Amino acid sequence: MTTKTYAGIPKENAALETSKIVLIPVPYDGTSTFQKGADKGPDAFLHASENMELYDIETETEVYKQGIHLAEAITESSSPEAVVAEVHKRTKEYILRNKFVTVFGGEHSISIGTIRAFNECFDDLTVLHIDAHADLRKEYQGSKCNHACAVYEASQTTNLIQVGIRSMDVAETRVMDTDKTWFAHDMANDEYWMDSVVEALGDNVFITFDLDALDPSIMPSTGTPEPGGLFWYETLEFLKQVFEEKNVVGFDIVELCPNEDDKSSDFLAAKLYYKMLSYKFNGSDEGEDFESNFSDKGNTISKFKDTQDDE
């Protein structure tokens, strides 16, 4: 990472001690199977963020003044399992420091680590998975930490809600809970899908947002662009409702594969990240302390340690 502060914000708004928000970049692309380049996503996102206006018109806020600390990038790449273990460790450390933790990938396998950390720190966690792909394989190409397995663990250990799905393997139908899945073709004909999804969410929500959930007409620069995705304003309308009605405890954004000839996707990712923060902190005074409601269970040893982190 060449950027010293997120979006070039003043250092006084970026210090770890006083920032409410932490951003962890994870430039990893070790298991993707179509277009490579997600490892370059965090740098492209940060560069676009530096060229973005920091006043949000809709909320009439400048959320960077809440403090956004750009953490050191996670550069572990020795194995998918090692990456997941390091993401889990670093994410959990910042949660326990009472920060609103956000992660920008990188491919979607990194979310195994982020979700694991949030699940260990928050009671009754709902994972809101916004994606074109189901990502429910238990194992793929010899690893349980493959991008195709991104939310399998979440399906077993959390209240997993999937939105925008339009591509999957038949084997995943045996894992998927269709009562908690909103397929893109159904959403296109259901004006009440947003309300239905929000009703299915618990109080504590972690959002994992794969950028290929968006239609390739507005987000072409991603690993596997699938036709029939979400558009910008319906996405914002949905996210705003989630943030207003639920306690979003953190989020990650993944699968930006930058294109040297078209920077629009980089800028969309930058705006999406900032919008999500603006919704989270809308109505919060800059001087107010941020109080995460993480549970005491977050201080316990990882329940996955013996099976995953030591691999």
Side-chain angles (χ1 to χ4, degrees):
M1 299 294 110
T2 56
T3 307
K4 293 181 179 179
T5 65
Y6 164 75
I9 62 176
K11 290 182 179 179
E12 58 265 30
N13 298 117
L16 176 60
E17 294 74 17
T18 55
S19 292
K20 298 178 184 178
I21 302 152
V22 168
L23 165 60
I24 308 173
V26 189
Y28 176 69
D29 190 21
T31 75
S32 59
T33 48
F34 184 43
Q35 295 189 91
K36 292 286 188 180
D39 56 321
K40 299 177 177 61
D43 262 335
F45 155 76
L46 288 170
H47 180 65
S49 299
E50 289 182 331
N51 294 281
M52 177 184 67
E53 299 287 1
L54 296 177
Y55 173 71
D56 181 68
I57 298 172
E58 180 186 8
T59 59
E60 300 180 328
T61 62
E62 295 174 289
V63 70
Y64 79 90
K65 292 182 178 179
Q66 303 285 346
I68 305 173
H69 175 70
L70 178 60
E72 183 179 351
I74 294 176
T75 57
E76 172 64 61
S77 61
S78 60
S79 71
E81 292 74 21
V83 174
V84 166
E86 185 62 21
V87 171
H88 165 254
K89 175 177 174 287
R90 290 272 302 280
T91 301
K92 191 169 181 177
E93 286 174 354
Y94 285 117
I95 293 171
L96 296 179
R97 293 189 69 163
N98 197 41
K99 303 299 182 181
F100 184 79
V101 183
T102 63
V103 180
F104 197 97
E107 62 163 75
H108 210 166
S109 66
I110 69 161
S111 297
I112 301 171
T114 58
I115 293 169
R116 187 179 296 172
F118 278 91
N119 192 28
E120 290 175 351
C121 294
F122 292 89
D123 293 323
D124 302 318
L125 186 71
T126 290
V127 172
L128 174 56
H129 173 220
I130 306 173
D131 199 333
H133 306 94
D135 290 348
L136 286 171
R137 288 174 168 91
K138 184 176 182 179
E139 183 175 315
Y140 192 64
Q141 295 186 336
S143 175
K144 295 179 180 180
C145 296
N146 189 282
H147 74 99
C149 312
V151 295
Y152 173 79
E153 186 175 289
S155 75
Q156 305 300 299
T157 61
T158 74
N159 176 35
L160 177 66
I161 304 298
Q162 300 189 273
V163 172
I165 308 302
R166 54 194 190 277
S167 179
M168 62 188 294
D169 185 78
V170 66
E172 294 173 283
T173 63
R174 295 188 286 271
V175 178
M176 175 177 281
D177 185 342
T178 55
D179 290 335
K180 296 182 178 181
T181 304
W182 278 258
F183 293 102
H185 67 275
D186 292 325
M187 291 162 57
N189 298 303
D190 181 4
E191 62 179 308
Y192 301 110
W193 71 263
M194 297 182 194
D195 294 332
S196 300
V197 172
V198 172
E199 287 177 6
L201 303 174
D203 291 333
N204 291 328
V205 178
F206 175 82
I207 301 173
T208 180
F209 197 117
D210 187 324
L211 290 167
D212 66 29
L214 300 167
D215 193 80
S217 62
I218 65 168
M219 174 49 70
S221 301
T222 188
T224 312
E226 295 275 355
L230 292 162
F231 291 98
W232 179 247
Y233 283 110
E234 67 176 327
T235 301
L236 293 188
E237 181 184 354
F238 173 54
L239 289 172
K240 183 178 181 180
Q241 186 174 349
V242 173
F243 276 95
E244 285 180 346
E245 298 189 26
K246 301 296 177 178
N247 177 37
V248 177
V249 298
F251 63 83
D252 66 29
I253 299 176
V254 298
E255 298 286 357
L256 173 64
C257 294
N259 179 344
E260 281 299 319
D261 298 322
D262 182 4
K263 302 298 185 184
S264 61
S265 294
D266 305 353
F267 209 81
L268 186 153
K271 292 285 283 189
L272 178 66
Y273 176 83
Y274 201 70
K275 268 290 186 185
M276 291 173 75
L277 291 184
S278 297
Y279 291 150
K280 172 63 182 178
F281 288 92
N282 189 23
S284 298
D285 185 81
E286 294 164 18
E288 291 178 352
D289 291 335
F290 173 70
E291 289 296 333
S292 171
N293 68 333
F294 68 83
S295 168
D296 288 341
K297 71 177 184 177
N299 291 295
T300 62
I301 296 173
S302 170
K303 60 186 174 183
F304 300 100
K305 185 173 179 59
D306 293 337
T307 58
Q308 295 285 354
D309 287 359
D310 290 340
E311 291 181 5

